[in-house]
Amino acid sequence: MTKRLNVNIDHVATVRQARRASEPSLIAAAMLCEHSGADGITIHLRGDRRHIQDADLFLLKQTVTTYLNVEMATDEEMIAIAIQAQPDAVTLVAENPQEITTEGGLDVRSSLAAVRRAIERLRAANIIASVFIDPDRDQIAAAHEACAQQVELCTALYSEHAKHHARAAQRQKEWRRLGEAAELAASQYDLSVAAGHGLTYRNVGAVATIEHITEFNIGHNIVARAVLVGMERAVQEMRDAVHQRRAW
Ligand code: PXP
């Protein structure tokens, strides 16, 4: 099965918002991602707007030529924004204002009616509806009951174990859990299966061996690497600007 990579560019916006500046441009970042082979762009429009802004979503909708996936909470205000912006897909996530990043999957089972209502509205607007869940059998069944077309399996726990050599057994157990969840979602419920959260250049390979996972949403590790691999050139260009001593 083919594997698609959506690049999550939230943290390009984090750098921009640190100064409420116009750079780095999210549009330029998205275009470079696409030019470099990304199959799609993912952004998370958080309730507190700490990185991505509403205007980013509408501008990206006009410029992204591959696939635009927007992560958001299930509340009505957010769904209304999505319907207006018309991205290709919306991934419903759990959101807690105090969290540094999304902490785990959405509990679709305990909020089934609200999730189903949100999905109904998204699908009526021709937007693909995905839910970000832990790799749990009952959450997959609930996603199916809520009429989701896709599940994104949360790889946070797998990624956390992968940071520690001593946790090889837990890492393998979590990897097996992801595999079983992907198999159940795809084979029994005919759901598309994505994965994401905490994936890195080192730990993604094993997850990519799971046949039914066809989409990856990866952000922080790519942006973190981009900062480093781009540093040499950025410094050289500023050094040149200083040495040229050109007055305005
Ligand atoms: N998938 C979902 C649903 C997320 O909330 C996030 C983080 O915004 C990601 C994927 C990407 O995670 P990371 O930035 O750790 O790659």
Side-chain angles (χ1 to χ4, degrees):
M1 272 189 195
T2 56
K3 311 277 185 196
R4 287 174 290 116
L5 170 65
N6 297 339
V7 180
N8 180 316
I9 57 173
D10 290 351
H11 297 305
V12 176
T14 301
V15 175
R16 183 193 61 189
Q17 293 307 107
R19 288 287 177 90
R20 303 282 187 277
S22 57
E23 289 182 279
S25 155
L26 230 57
I27 304 304
M31 289 174 80
L32 283 168
C33 290
E34 289 187 317
H35 183 72
S36 312
D39 300 290
I41 302 296
T42 294
I43 52 172
H44 184 169
L45 186 66
R46 296 188 71 102
D48 61 12
R49 306 298 196 273
R50 68 173 72 155
H51 38 54
I52 300 294
Q53 308 297 304
D54 296 37
D56 295 324
L57 164 57
F58 287 92
L59 281 171
L60 286 167
K61 164 66 190 175
Q62 287 171 42
T63 44
V64 167
T65 57
T66 50
Y67 184 83
L68 182 61
N69 171 39
V70 183
E71 301 167 359
M72 56 172 52
T74 314
D75 55 274
E76 301 217 339
E77 182 220 351
M78 282 295 171
I79 304 299
I81 295 170
I83 291 171
Q84 207 191 333
Q86 287 286 304
D88 297 287
V90 163
T91 302
L92 298 174
V93 300
E95 214 174 273
N96 159 11
Q98 267 77 53
E99 68 194 1
I100 291 174
T101 180
T102 311
E103 283 168 347
L106 178 65
D107 186 351
V108 181
R109 174 58 70 205
S110 69
S111 52
L112 188 58
V115 175
R116 190 190 282 140
R117 172 86 193 110
I119 289 176
E120 202 180 321
R121 292 178 67 201
L122 292 169
R123 293 191 60 171
N126 260 326
I127 299 169
I128 295 169
S130 180
V131 286
F132 182 61
I133 56 173
D134 291 329
D136 174 274
R137 298 183 73 84
D138 190 48
Q139 291 298 339
I140 293 166
H144 169 73
E145 289 164 42
C147 298
Q149 290 146 295
Q150 176 174 290
V151 288
E152 179 174 340
L153 301 176
C154 178
T155 52
L157 192 54
Y158 162 82
S159 300
E160 197 47 43
H161 290 321
K163 287 182 194 162
H164 309 274
H165 280 302
R167 292 199 209 157
Q170 292 104 307
R171 171 187 176 163
Q172 199 174 17
K173 186 168 165 229
E174 196 55 27
W175 175 79
R176 253 188 258 112
R177 224 177 133 218
L178 288 164
E180 285 160 12
E183 164 75 28
L184 178 74
S187 305
Q188 187 160 333
Y189 297 113
D190 202 24
L191 290 157
S192 301
V193 185
H197 212 288
L199 292 174
T200 68
Y201 292 88
R202 289 169 299 284
N203 70 23
V204 73
V207 184
T209 65
I210 298 173
E211 188 194 348
H212 293 286
I213 297 179
T214 53
E215 178 186 294
F216 290 89
N217 288 290
I218 307 180
H220 184 270
N221 207 233
I222 296 175
V223 176
R225 186 163 175 81
V227 169
L228 293 187
V229 300
M231 190 60 86
E232 242 179 84
R233 179 158 163 202
V235 172
Q236 280 161 8
E237 286 180 9
M238 185 59 84
R239 205 167 166 270
D240 290 347
V242 170
H243 287 182
Q244 278 167 11
R245 304 177 202 206
R246 202 180 291 139
W248 60 89

